[in-house]
Amino acid sequence: MKSTIKKFFFTKMLIGLGAIALLSGCVNDQSSKKYKNAVDIPVNQEMIAELTSPPFVPTPVGKRMAKKLIVDLEIQEREGEMVSGVKYIYWTFGGTVPGSFIRTRVGDEIEFHLKNHPDNKLPHNIDLHAVNGPGGGAESSFVAPGHEKVFSFKVLNPGLYVYHCATAPVGMHIANGMYGLILVEPEGGLAPVDKEYYIMQGDFYTEGKYGERGLQAFDMQKAIDENADYVVFNGHVGAMTGDNAITAKVGETVRLFVGNGGPNLVSSFHVIGEIFDRVHVEGGDLINDNVQTTMIPAGGAAIVEFLVDVPGTFILVDHSIFRAFNKGALAMLKVEGEENEKVFTGEIHDGIYLPEGSVIQSMPSLDRNAPKEEVKALSFEEKMKFGKDKYMATCVACHQANGQGIEGAFPPLANADYLNADVNRAIDIVLHGKSGEITVNGKKYNSVMTAQALSDQDVANVLTYVYNSWGNNKTDVTPEMVEAVRNK
Amino acid sequence: MKYYSTALFLVFSIFCELYAQNNKMVLVEGGVYLPLYGAEGKTVKVAPFLMDALPVTNADYLKFVQENPKWKKSNVKSLFADKSYLAKWTDDTTFTGLKDAPVNNVSWFAAKNYCECQGKRLPTIDEWEYAAMADENVPDARKIKTYNQYILNWYETPKTFNKPVGSTFKNYWGIYDLHGLVWEWTQDFNAVLISGESRKDVDKDANLFCGSAAIGASDLMNYAAFMRFAFRGSMKARYSSQNLGFRCAKDIEN
């Protein structure tokens, strides 16, 4: 209940006071006063709250005094796209999943206007975890379609809080997207950073499996069984990948306000290739430094901050990793700027490791004098079988079981124009890897495929399998073709 | 306030033009059922009653307001209907949408008076829920998965109020459209939330929020019923809503 205002802010306040007094005619003694109890912080003036759609956040509160803040939020039940070709009826706070971001400071008095659009079928309400009061406001905000409810509360505890709908059946309202974040900054605001973004994870339960086309209804049984078809950031697959990726420049500090709407799953939030310099654990006062993966409970949040040292695309995932690769829990942070080899050099050597005292030697394929491995002449059926096994062991994690890939992250191989256009290029990519932007079936991809340490025979098998599956052009790739590319 | 306005209304409602309306009624045989709320885990007896086979339509309601001008959009007392009363009607006698689509945006007071003017009444929650348990073949389909999914799906489908009455399935009793077009007013729609039952108010959280909604409910899997109860709980008698219509019921005359 109590919020103590830190000495640090107090001193800063005093220094800034002279300047403020010059700029503003309405300064009174309250700005320099310390309030032991946040309940006593007086408010002056009224302000309409700036609300933003994800991944953006409103302007920081900075040094502004506590105000009466008017929040105007409309509930809309509307159709959206879960993943390309899959429609879903979302229930939303402000038209987006997650709902609009609300930014306040300790001591603000919030006058909350919750509007339920007349076209909506259902009553709704809002439970804000930042509220001290029965139901977090749920009771006072229960609003019928075509009506508006007004209630007010004072924010007392700094931190990042989830809000959600709490109308029966609660699970279904949350599962359809009714959640968002409300930030309560301490007096004087959070320390300034270069970039701030809003990300919220949620799990979805549909009648059809992942990717099954058409309008998909909510599946109550799957939700009760906690068997999610989609686990996504910001409401749908690809909400933050490709052109929608969030961005930063080398040397900037990025702050992510990360929430988890649930309804069921706990998130192991991780950014591939970054270490969080600071984490406001569970969105509260506790700071943890140097964190690899932070746990975000359903109905909870965390603030993570990190300096980006090198350029590249950093993938944000739920490190319960099948959710990332198979259910959509992937987002991207694209960082532009100068390479910094002190921090990261990229690949400098590729050798073979043989235990039992052998010295490191280079790849046999690069060694002109190494004996050629024996190439067996395989039947087409055998090549397909071995190729499939190799595909399932090596390629499936990214390109998926039926070659469909993951839009925005991993390009498809099924019926893929890029693949069918040039077999030698395909062989080259398997042998030497590929990075940079390519366009496959009209969609842009910009990620990294590593070089694969496979024999010529293996490459021939796996590519023959790929070319003779999923509507591709039935090229029969031979070890000789692979060798030719390798020797180029 | 609620009782005051209801009393005032009773005086007001005596003066209405009676006219015969041709909506066919069907017999719902009585029986017992376990409601989602309100019976402390006990089954409730429902006496046999008659129910309109179809919801009241735009055309039906137009006739009603012509014969009872106090219910015209421009005449209606704000005590008995809020601003969204007949919101999509362009004037007192012109509705939008199909003439045989269910009327919507009518208040409880208006719906109740409509039924009374025909010598009928609104169905009670128990009667409505009892009749609506039926699918095409059986009187109680609540445990059938496809039946529940059907109802949940229409709750999620927008703008179903534009469809003509009779366009969904005919249930076991011969009643159409209990699920699929609009929510429907009931006589005692707010009986569950606004409980006069003091034991309940003391011992339990009688609100339908968060986990509390699961306390005192008889069937945690009946999401469709949860949604109906939540909807009813959000309404007041003077409210009206785009997705809310009504039909009438009647006691069996001996």
Side-chain angles (χ1 to χ4, degrees), chain A residues 69-107:
Chain A
L69 199 60
I70 295 163
V71 176
D72 209 331
L73 199 54
E74 188 191 48
I75 295 164
Q76 299 170 17
E77 297 165 7
R78 59 193 293 179
E79 189 181 287
E81 200 170 50
M82 182 69 75
V83 65
S84 129
V86 180
K87 307 272 191 231
Y88 192 76
I89 304 286
Y90 291 95
W91 300 348
T92 70
F93 286 110
T96 55
V97 178
S100 307
F101 195 98
I102 307 167
R103 193 161 194 161
T104 70
R105 58 147 282 174
V106 166

Side-chain angles (χ1 to χ4, degrees), chain A residues 237-238 240-243 313 315-317 324-325 328-332 397-400 404-412 436 438 443-449:
Chain A
V237 178
M240 297 172 68
T241 59
D243 289 344
T313 299
I315 310 277
L316 288 60
V317 295
F325 276 30
L330 271 179
M332 280 179 186
C398 297
H399 292 294
Q400 304 294 301
Q404 73 270 35
I406 292 179
E407 197 179 318
F410 308 114
I438 61 171
K443 299 258 160 54
K444 283 186 179 158
Y445 294 86
N446 192 350
S447 42
V448 176
M449 171 164 161

Side-chain angles (χ1 to χ4, degrees), chain A residues 182-236:
Chain A
I182 174 170
L183 172 67
V184 183
E185 294 198 59
E187 175 153 16
L190 294 167
V193 292
D194 302 301
K195 291 275 161 62
E196 291 185 325
Y197 292 107
Y198 170 23
I199 303 166
M200 209 159 174
Q201 183 171 323
D203 27 305
F204 288 86
Y205 305 83
T206 53
E207 271 192 304
K209 286 189 183 140
Y210 182 99
E212 209 167 300
R213 298 175 73 82
L215 181 65
Q216 292 293 329
F218 165 73
D219 189 306
M220 187 180 116
Q221 192 57 52
K222 282 185 185 171
I224 291 169
D225 296 342
E226 308 195 2
N227 177 19
D229 297 286
Y230 297 88
V231 182
V232 295
F233 294 119
N234 288 357
H236 60 98

Side-chain angles (χ1 to χ4, degrees), chain A residues 384-434:
Chain A
M384 284 295 280
K385 184 177 178 297
F386 294 153
K388 183 176 184 180
D389 291 346
K390 189 53 76 181
Y391 183 88
M392 288 304 168
T394 309
C395 319
V396 70
C398 297
H399 292 294
Q400 304 294 301
N402 293 309
Q404 73 270 35
I406 292 179
E407 197 179 318
F410 308 114
L413 300 176
N415 207 0
D417 53 9
Y418 189 88
L419 175 78
N420 290 318
D422 187 347
V423 65
N424 286 331
R425 176 172 66 186
I427 294 170
D428 183 68
I429 291 172
V430 176
L431 292 176
H432 302 118
K434 172 86 187 162

Side-chain angles (χ1 to χ4, degrees), chain A residues 89 91 118-123 125 127 139 142 144-145 147 166-170 176 207 217-218 220-221 224, chain B residues 82 149 152-157 159-160 183 207-210 213 221 223 227 230-231 233-235 239 241-243:
Chain A
I89 304 286
W91 300 348
D119 281 348
N120 292 348
K121 273 241 169 71
L122 292 159
N125 62 7
D127 168 352
E139 213 178 322
F142 190 40
H147 285 261
T167 302
V170 192
N176 282 343
E207 271 192 304
F218 165 73
M220 187 180 116
Q221 192 57 52
I224 291 169
Chain B
D82 69 6
Q149 195 64 45
L152 284 186
N153 288 0
W154 94 257
Y155 289 172
E156 292 195 284
T157 311
K159 305 210 188 295
T160 48
W183 306 100
N207 294 318
L208 292 177
F209 308 125
C210 276
M221 295 299 281
Y223 274 30
M227 290 161 93
F231 183 85
S234 76
M235 298 306 287
Y239 284 12
S241 171
Q242 188 107 287
N243 289 297

Side-chain angles (χ1 to χ4, degrees), chain B:
Chain B
M1 180 61 195
K2 185 185 149 237
Y3 296 106
Y4 171 71
S5 55
T6 312
L8 206 154
F9 175 75
L10 287 175
V11 178
F12 186 62
S13 68
I14 294 163
F15 310 98
C16 71
E17 299 288 325
L18 283 168
Y19 77 98
Q21 174 245 29
N22 51 15
N23 191 357
K24 192 180 140 232
M25 298 194 90
V26 297
L27 173 69
V28 180
E29 284 166 32
V32 290
Y33 93 115
L34 183 64
L36 184 66
Y37 285 110
E40 305 283 344
K42 288 194 199 93
T43 51
V44 165
K45 190 164 183 288
V46 178
F49 64 99
L50 295 168
M51 193 178 225
D52 287 350
L54 297 169
V56 174
T57 64
N58 283 321
D60 294 336
Y61 201 79
L62 174 61
K63 191 159 178 247
F64 170 69
V65 298
Q66 280 167 338
E67 290 168 13
N68 298 278
K70 65 173 183 282
W71 288 111
K72 281 185 176 164
K73 196 175 166 176
S74 59
N75 293 346
V76 76
K77 299 274 182 291
S78 66
L79 193 59
F80 302 131
D82 69 6
K83 279 192 189 129
S84 43
Y85 178 73
L86 301 180
K88 293 281 168 82
W89 290 40
T90 50
D91 61 42
D92 275 349
T93 52
T94 316
F95 54 80
T96 54
L98 301 174
K99 68 175 169 35
D100 59 348
V103 67
N104 56 46
N105 277 318
V106 291
S107 68
W108 178 83
F109 290 113
K112 181 169 177 286
N113 193 229
Y114 177 99
C115 292
E116 284 165 357
C117 285
Q118 298 176 60
K120 300 179 185 176
R121 58 175 173 78
L122 286 171
T124 64
I125 291 183
D126 284 333
E127 286 169 341
W128 197 97
E129 290 285 325
Y130 181 80
M133 298 187 308
D135 68 358
E136 293 98 319
N137 307 313
V138 293
D140 184 357
R142 287 181 298 175
K143 296 287 181 215
I144 299 173
K145 196 184 171 226
T146 49
Y147 169 79
N148 283 315
Q149 195 64 45
Y150 171 82
I151 301 173
L152 284 186
N153 288 0
W154 94 257
Y155 289 172
E156 292 195 284
T157 311
K159 305 210 188 295
T160 48
F161 56 82
N162 282 329
K163 293 186 190 166
V165 298
S167 59
T168 74
F169 69 92
K170 177 184 185 178
N171 83 2
Y172 177 83
W173 306 109
I175 304 169
Y176 293 86
D177 306 330
L178 286 167
H179 308 290
L181 299 185
V182 286
W183 306 100
E184 295 182 9
W185 280 113
T186 52
Q187 185 93 53
D188 50 347
F189 69 96
N190 56 5
V192 171
L193 263 191
I194 306 166
S195 165
E197 172 64 74
S198 58
R199 268 177 311 153
K200 214 176 170 189
D201 293 338
V202 174
D203 295 337
K204 279 186 184 166
D205 189 346
N207 294 318
L208 292 177
F209 308 125
C210 276
S212 311
I215 303 170
S218 63
D219 180 3
L220 295 180
M221 295 299 281
N222 198 342
Y223 274 30
F226 274 117
M227 290 161 93
R228 286 194 296 275
F229 276 95
F231 183 85
R232 288 172 190 140
S234 76
M235 298 306 287
K236 292 198 167 99
R238 58 189 286 275
Y239 284 12
S240 53
S241 171
Q242 188 107 287
N243 289 297
L244 175 62
F246 70 102
R247 74 179 75 215
C248 306
K250 200 178 180 180
D251 293 339
I252 306 275
E253 283 159 36
N254 292 317

Side-chain angles (χ1 to χ4, degrees), chain A residues 349-364 453:
Chain A
H349 180 68
D350 182 353
I352 278 204
Y353 169 67
L354 288 173
E356 295 156 35
S358 300
V359 293
I360 290 178
Q361 55 178 232
S362 52
M363 296 278 282

